[in-house]
Amino acid sequence: METVVNRSLSSPIDRHPDPDWSVVSRIPITGSGEPLVPLSLAPSPIKIFPVYAKQDIPGAISECYVREGVYRRLLKVARSLPAEYGLVILDGWRPWRVQQYLFDTLQEAIRSHHPELSDETLLERTREFVSVPSREANSPSPHLTGGAVDVTLSDADGLPLDMGTLFDEAVPASHTAALEEIVRPDARQRQARDNRRRLHGTMREQGFTNLPSEWWHYDAGDQLWAHYSGHAQALYGPAELETIESRWRRQL
């Protein structure tokens, strides 16, 4: 196991093109009966920090839910890490209201700094870091499926490792392979690059794919995963949390 981890650490991260969302949205979804499960149930070394709830973003929930298959993959990732590392889950399944808030907030921030941008360019710049909110059965936003997850690594004390940028920092340096392109990195840049390599390598080994513009975003089973892994079909469509009301309505 240690040999695999070391190989992952030493392997540079290749730059991949950003997704063509018109292509991604056309990938058929077979559908899956896998439930959403709470990651707070997971044993160490997985930790959860539901960042949007901590930031009091409207509609955010104080739990990180993912599909059961994603849950089990994440456990394998965490267990493959050396003992001094932990896997921190920042977000998983995301309510549509939160997706809309993030999209609108980022778009307005970009517009305020670059009022000269056309609507088309503004949309493109926004989609670099936040996908268009969609609950459509054939083209849901990745985080609405339970197949997308935002993750980082921590040290033995539970503190997040330096990844070169903060989570959700909408800058070019947040692109997963950005630190690979620094010709003469200093010590901190090398450490952040190696942290990204370790995260990327261990996630890829368990079948996750990465969104190239975000070092923290990984997918399994959704349309983005199918797009980057070469699968003809996705497994997960839009999902909703089961409530006692929805259960009763279904059963009675």
Side-chain angles (χ1 to χ4, degrees):
M1 184 68 70
E2 183 65 24
T3 300
V4 172
V5 171
N6 286 339
R7 187 177 66 247
S8 300
L9 175 58
S10 62
S11 300
I13 300 171
D14 295 330
R15 177 172 283 277
H16 294 281
D18 291 334
D20 182 338
W21 290 101
S22 66
V23 173
V24 173
S25 64
R26 292 198 298 269
I27 296 175
I29 300 171
T30 60
S32 170
E34 286 182 22
L36 292 170
V37 294
L39 275 159
S40 60
L41 295 176
S44 179
I46 283 183
K47 305 176 181 67
I48 70 162
F49 187 82
V51 65
Y52 297 130
K54 301 290 187 182
Q55 295 174 357
D56 292 325
I57 286 179
I61 55 176
S62 57
E63 177 62 90
C64 293
Y65 288 92
V66 292
R67 298 281 189 148
E68 183 177 343
V70 178
Y71 177 98
R72 297 190 185 280
R73 287 180 193 254
L74 289 170
L75 276 177
K76 291 179 180 178
V77 170
R79 288 166 176 164
S80 73
L81 291 168
E84 65 269 26
Y85 293 94
L87 186 67
V88 181
I89 314 300
L90 302 168
D91 193 33
W93 175 82
R94 184 181 296 167
W96 181 86
R97 183 184 177 192
V98 176
Q99 188 71 28
Q100 185 72 62
Y101 175 90
L102 295 174
F103 184 87
D104 291 345
T105 302
L106 178 57
Q107 187 171 64
E108 187 53 40
I110 295 172
R111 190 199 313 274
S112 66
H113 282 84
H114 301 281
E116 76 283 359
L117 294 180
S118 66
D119 289 345
E120 181 180 357
T121 302
L122 179 61
L123 175 60
E124 181 180 345
R125 290 281 299 275
T126 306
R127 293 181 79 164
E128 182 180 359
F129 294 102
V130 181
S131 63
V132 173
S134 172
R135 291 178 285 193
E136 296 295 327
N138 61 349
S139 59
S141 304
H143 275 283
L144 271 70
T145 71
V149 62
D150 295 332
V151 297
T152 192
L153 297 175
S154 70
D155 63 18
D157 294 327
L159 296 177
L161 299 184
D162 183 5
M163 291 290 183
T165 70
L166 299 176
F167 167 69
D168 262 356
E169 195 167 353
V171 295
S174 289
H175 285 241
T176 310
L179 301 184
E180 303 288 348
E181 299 168 1
I182 300 175
V183 177
R184 294 182 177 83
D186 59 27
R188 180 179 178 182
Q189 290 168 331
R190 285 196 301 272
Q191 185 61 63
R193 179 200 64 194
D194 289 349
N195 291 338
R196 288 193 191 189
R197 287 181 179 181
R198 187 180 296 280
L199 177 62
H200 186 267
T202 51
M203 293 292 286
R204 293 282 294 176
E205 285 167 4
Q206 299 306 327
F208 287 92
T209 60
N210 170 250
L211 179 62
S213 59
E214 299 178 354
W215 59 257
W216 55 83
H217 180 112
Y218 288 85
D219 299 272
D222 60 15
Q223 287 173 308
L224 265 182
W225 166 83
H227 177 69
Y228 281 114
S229 62
H231 285 77
Q233 297 178 320
L235 303 176
Y236 305 139
E240 291 292 339
L241 287 180
E242 184 176 55
T243 64
I244 190 64
E245 180 183 1
S246 65
R247 184 183 305 168
W248 286 343
R249 287 184 181 278
R250 186 179 66 253
Q251 292 173 341
L252 299 178

